[in-house]
PDB file of all heavy atoms in Angstrom:
ATOM      1  N   GLU X 115      41.486  22.555  16.489  1.00  0.00           N
ATOM      2  CA  GLU X 115      40.357  23.258  15.888  1.00  0.00           C
ATOM      3  C   GLU X 115      39.420  22.291  15.173  1.00  0.00           C
ATOM      4  O   GLU X 115      38.198  22.479  15.167  1.00  0.00           O
ATOM      5  CB  GLU X 115      40.856  24.336  14.927  1.00  0.00           C
ATOM      6  CG  GLU X 115      41.590  25.485  15.604  1.00  0.00           C
ATOM      7  CD  GLU X 115      40.728  26.235  16.597  1.00  0.00           C
ATOM      8  OE1 GLU X 115      39.500  26.345  16.368  1.00  0.00           O
ATOM      9  OE2 GLU X 115      41.256  26.720  17.609  1.00  0.00           O
ATOM     10  N   ARG X 116      39.997  21.248  14.574  1.00  0.00           N
ATOM     11  CA  ARG X 116      39.173  20.244  13.893  1.00  0.00           C
ATOM     12  C   ARG X 116      38.314  19.495  14.910  1.00  0.00           C
ATOM     13  O   ARG X 116      37.121  19.277  14.687  1.00  0.00           O
ATOM     14  CB  ARG X 116      40.069  19.275  13.113  1.00  0.00           C
ATOM     15  CG  ARG X 116      39.304  18.341  12.201  1.00  0.00           C
ATOM     16  CD  ARG X 116      40.201  17.739  11.133  1.00  0.00           C
ATOM     17  NE  ARG X 116      41.309  16.957  11.658  1.00  0.00           N
ATOM     18  CZ  ARG X 116      42.595  17.291  11.572  1.00  0.00           C
ATOM     19  NH1 ARG X 116      42.956  18.403  10.957  1.00  0.00           N
ATOM     20  NH2 ARG X 116      43.531  16.517  12.081  1.00  0.00           N
ATOM     21  N   ALA X 117      38.907  19.115  16.031  1.00  0.00           N
ATOM     22  CA  ALA X 117      38.147  18.428  17.081  1.00  0.00           C
ATOM     23  C   ALA X 117      37.082  19.346  17.667  1.00  0.00           C
ATOM     24  O   ALA X 117      35.951  18.906  17.952  1.00  0.00           O
ATOM     25  CB  ALA X 117      39.093  17.943  18.173  1.00  0.00           C
ATOM     26  N   HIS X 118      37.421  20.614  17.834  1.00  0.00           N
ATOM     27  CA  HIS X 118      36.446  21.585  18.355  1.00  0.00           C
ATOM     28  C   HIS X 118      35.256  21.717  17.417  1.00  0.00           C
ATOM     29  O   HIS X 118      34.102  21.768  17.866  1.00  0.00           O
ATOM     30  CB  HIS X 118      37.141  22.940  18.543  1.00  0.00           C
ATOM     31  CG  HIS X 118      36.246  23.992  19.123  1.00  0.00           C
ATOM     32  ND1 HIS X 118      35.713  25.019  18.372  1.00  0.00           N
ATOM     33  CD2 HIS X 118      35.776  24.178  20.391  1.00  0.00           C
ATOM     34  CE1 HIS X 118      34.963  25.781  19.139  1.00  0.00           C
ATOM     35  NE2 HIS X 118      34.984  25.308  20.361  1.00  0.00           N
ATOM     36  N   ALA X 119      35.523  21.764  16.118  1.00  0.00           N
ATOM     37  CA  ALA X 119      34.430  21.813  15.141  1.00  0.00           C
ATOM     38  C   ALA X 119      33.556  20.574  15.259  1.00  0.00           C
ATOM     39  O   ALA X 119      32.311  20.668  15.213  1.00  0.00           O
ATOM     40  CB  ALA X 119      34.995  21.944  13.727  1.00  0.00           C
ATOM     41  N   ARG X 120      34.166  19.414  15.432  1.00  0.00           N
ATOM     42  CA  ARG X 120      33.384  18.179  15.530  1.00  0.00           C
ATOM     43  C   ARG X 120      32.511  18.170  16.782  1.00  0.00           C
ATOM     44  O   ARG X 120      31.417  17.602  16.770  1.00  0.00           O
ATOM     45  CB  ARG X 120      34.321  16.970  15.513  1.00  0.00           C
ATOM     46  CG  ARG X 120      34.887  16.674  14.115  1.00  0.00           C
ATOM     47  CD  ARG X 120      35.785  15.469  14.128  1.00  0.00           C
ATOM     48  NE  ARG X 120      36.193  15.096  12.776  1.00  0.00           N
ATOM     49  CZ  ARG X 120      37.443  14.840  12.420  1.00  0.00           C
ATOM     50  NH1 ARG X 120      38.428  14.916  13.305  1.00  0.00           N
ATOM     51  NH2 ARG X 120      37.719  14.499  11.172  1.00  0.00           N
ATOM     52  N   LEU X 121      32.980  18.791  17.863  1.00  0.00           N
ATOM     53  CA  LEU X 121      32.143  18.900  19.059  1.00  0.00           C
ATOM     54  C   LEU X 121      30.850  19.637  18.751  1.00  0.00           C
ATOM     55  O   LEU X 121      29.763  19.240  19.209  1.00  0.00           O
ATOM     56  CB  LEU X 121      32.902  19.649  20.162  1.00  0.00           C
ATOM     57  CG  LEU X 121      33.968  18.884  20.937  1.00  0.00           C
ATOM     58  CD1 LEU X 121      34.676  19.827  21.907  1.00  0.00           C
ATOM     59  CD2 LEU X 121      33.343  17.721  21.712  1.00  0.00           C
ATOM     60  N   TRP X 122      30.938  20.701  17.945  1.00  0.00           N
ATOM     61  CA  TRP X 122      29.752  21.500  17.662  1.00  0.00           C
ATOM     62  C   TRP X 122      28.924  20.923  16.534  1.00  0.00           C
ATOM     63  O   TRP X 122      27.722  21.202  16.434  1.00  0.00           O
ATOM     64  CB  TRP X 122      30.157  22.959  17.456  1.00  0.00           C
ATOM     65  CG  TRP X 122      30.573  23.486  18.798  1.00  0.00           C
ATOM     66  CD1 TRP X 122      31.841  23.568  19.297  1.00  0.00           C
ATOM     67  CD2 TRP X 122      29.690  23.873  19.848  1.00  0.00           C
ATOM     68  NE1 TRP X 122      31.804  24.016  20.601  1.00  0.00           N
ATOM     69  CE2 TRP X 122      30.503  24.216  20.964  1.00  0.00           C
ATOM     70  CE3 TRP X 122      28.312  23.991  19.960  1.00  0.00           C
ATOM     71  CZ2 TRP X 122      29.956  24.652  22.166  1.00  0.00           C
ATOM     72  CZ3 TRP X 122      27.763  24.432  21.154  1.00  0.00           C
ATOM     73  CH2 TRP X 122      28.581  24.755  22.234  1.00  0.00           C
ATOM     74  N   ILE X 123      29.508  20.081  15.716  1.00  0.00           N
ATOM     75  CA  ILE X 123      28.713  19.273  14.789  1.00  0.00           C
ATOM     76  C   ILE X 123      27.894  18.269  15.596  1.00  0.00           C
ATOM     77  O   ILE X 123      26.706  18.039  15.306  1.00  0.00           O
ATOM     78  CB  ILE X 123      29.620  18.566  13.771  1.00  0.00           C
ATOM     79  CG1 ILE X 123      30.258  19.594  12.826  1.00  0.00           C
ATOM     80  CG2 ILE X 123      28.833  17.525  12.969  1.00  0.00           C
ATOM     81  CD1 ILE X 123      31.384  19.042  11.989  1.00  0.00           C
ATOM     82  N   ASP X 124      28.518  17.686  16.608  1.00  0.00           N
ATOM     83  CA  ASP X 124      27.809  16.747  17.483  1.00  0.00           C
ATOM     84  C   ASP X 124      26.677  17.455  18.219  1.00  0.00           C
ATOM     85  O   ASP X 124      25.563  16.915  18.350  1.00  0.00           O
ATOM     86  CB  ASP X 124      28.807  16.141  18.475  1.00  0.00           C
ATOM     87  CG  ASP X 124      28.190  15.044  19.314  1.00  0.00           C
ATOM     88  OD1 ASP X 124      27.817  14.005  18.746  1.00  0.00           O
ATOM     89  OD2 ASP X 124      28.087  15.218  20.550  1.00  0.00           O
TER      90      ASP X 124
END
Side-chain angles (χ1 to χ4, degrees):
E115 293 299 327
R116 189 161 60 248
H118 182 255
R120 285 181 173 132
L121 283 176
W122 290 96
I123 292 168
D124 186 65

